[in-house]
Amino acid sequence: MKFFYQILFVLITGFTVLSCNSRTSINTDLKKELDAIMFTDQAFRRQYDPTMSEKERRDIADSLNMDYDEMRKNLLGLMNKYDAENIKKIETIIAKYGYPGKSLVGEPTNRAAFLVIQHSDKISKYLPIVKIAAEKKELPFQSYAVMLDRYLMGKEEEQIYGSQGLEMGGISIIWPIKDPVNVNELRKKAGFSQTVEEYSKDLYGENFEYKIYTLEEVEKMFAGNVILE
């Protein structure tokens, strides 16, 4: 898959994942499989990145042996197709190995399963496993924090770390936070490098102003629409 395995831009979280450190204990076959899965997880999402050059976009299409123009016409369909295939593969891997963490596949490959689960409807099933992996330092705790926030937002409950935003009907917000006064301290402890104010500008642009909302206010703003499955 060319050099894209080495640098993957994770748009939903705002993270940049750096190249893997090799270790003698690494399961190289599993690492190779997970790298391929992680590449396809990110390939179509990266196409939405406004900072990407056309050459980078075309290189991704070439790596997947796809016609560039056809790929661009069906980005969402392709993303959904690969997401469905990838979660099946990840479930098989977890059933065999448990969470494929740093000691088994190295970094950044240890984030592959997290990414695929994050982009699936299986978060509630695998969140406890991801938490254990994070507590054992097999996965950055920050990744677990992002998944927890997404899970809580999906239940239309307050998030903890302020990692999830919502865009609907031309309105962009950071989803309500349980403890907005202390959220930046919690973010720091979890490994986030930015405050929620800084992160929100990365998410929605420099002109975005972070505001604190309650669940009741958000419900009124979006007229009771279903937020997430």
Side-chain angles (χ1 to χ4, degrees):
M1 297 297 180
K2 297 186 178 180
F3 57 88
F4 291 104
Y5 286 153
Q6 300 303 313
I7 303 179
L8 297 172
F9 294 89
V10 184
L11 303 178
I12 186 106
T13 63
F15 305 147
T16 301
V17 186
L18 302 180
S19 59
C20 176
N21 297 320
S22 61
R23 292 178 57 181
T24 57
S25 60
I26 296 302
N27 183 325
T28 55
D29 288 340
L30 181 59
K31 172 183 157 34
K32 183 177 179 180
E33 180 181 2
L34 285 166
D35 281 341
I37 290 171
M38 184 159 60
F39 178 77
T40 56
D41 176 87
Q42 291 298 294
F44 307 107
R45 290 175 170 84
R46 288 196 65 203
Q47 296 289 321
Y48 292 101
D49 182 358
T51 67
M52 279 189 67
S53 68
E54 184 172 340
K55 181 181 183 306
E56 289 176 305
R57 298 179 197 278
R58 289 184 178 277
D59 283 343
I60 289 175
D62 290 344
S63 296
L64 294 170
N65 296 315
M66 290 182 180
D67 178 81
Y68 174 70
D69 293 327
E70 289 300 316
M71 182 185 74
R72 293 286 296 173
K73 288 178 184 177
N74 192 31
L75 281 178
L76 184 58
L78 287 167
M79 185 165 64
N80 290 336
K81 173 180 179 291
Y82 277 91
D83 282 354
E85 293 175 358
N86 285 340
I87 190 61
K88 291 178 182 178
K89 294 175 182 176
I90 290 299
E91 289 197 287
T92 299
I93 289 169
I94 290 176
K96 182 175 181 179
Y97 297 98
Y99 186 89
K102 181 171 64 174
S103 63
L104 185 63
V105 296
E107 297 177 296
T109 312
N110 62 329
R111 296 190 73 244
F114 154 75
L115 289 170
V116 173
I117 296 166
Q118 184 79 343
H119 299 146
S120 76
D121 60 357
K122 305 286 187 179
I123 290 178
S124 61
K125 179 179 180 179
Y126 290 107
L127 184 63
I129 294 174
V130 171
K131 180 182 180 182
I132 292 170
E135 289 173 342
K136 292 182 176 180
K137 302 188 184 305
E138 291 291 333
L139 178 74
F141 191 86
Q142 184 179 1
S143 297
Y144 164 69
V146 169
M147 185 173 287
L148 176 61
D149 276 356
R150 186 172 179 84
Y151 169 73
L152 293 169
M153 179 178 166
K155 294 179 65 181
E156 299 189 23
E157 297 179 6
E158 295 167 317
Q159 61 177 324
I160 305 299
Y161 298 98
S163 66
Q164 302 299 301
L166 173 67
E167 289 183 275
M168 188 180 291
I171 300 173
S172 301
I173 66 166
I174 296 297
W175 185 257
I177 297 169
K178 185 174 184 179
D179 185 0
V181 174
N182 296 305
V183 66
N184 286 329
E185 184 62 29
L186 291 172
R187 287 174 64 85
K188 185 177 180 180
K189 289 179 180 178
F192 292 92
S193 62
Q194 295 175 306
T195 64
V196 69
E197 292 84 1
E198 292 166 340
Y199 169 69
S200 67
K201 289 185 180 295
D202 275 358
L203 200 60
Y204 295 124
E206 281 298 319
N207 294 326
F208 180 83
E209 292 186 13
Y210 165 67
K211 295 180 182 179
I212 297 172
Y213 292 101
T214 65
L215 290 172
E216 291 75 16
E217 288 171 331
V218 170
E219 184 177 2
K220 290 178 182 178
M221 288 170 64
F222 297 104
N225 289 326
V226 174
I227 305 305
L228 289 173
E229 295 181 356

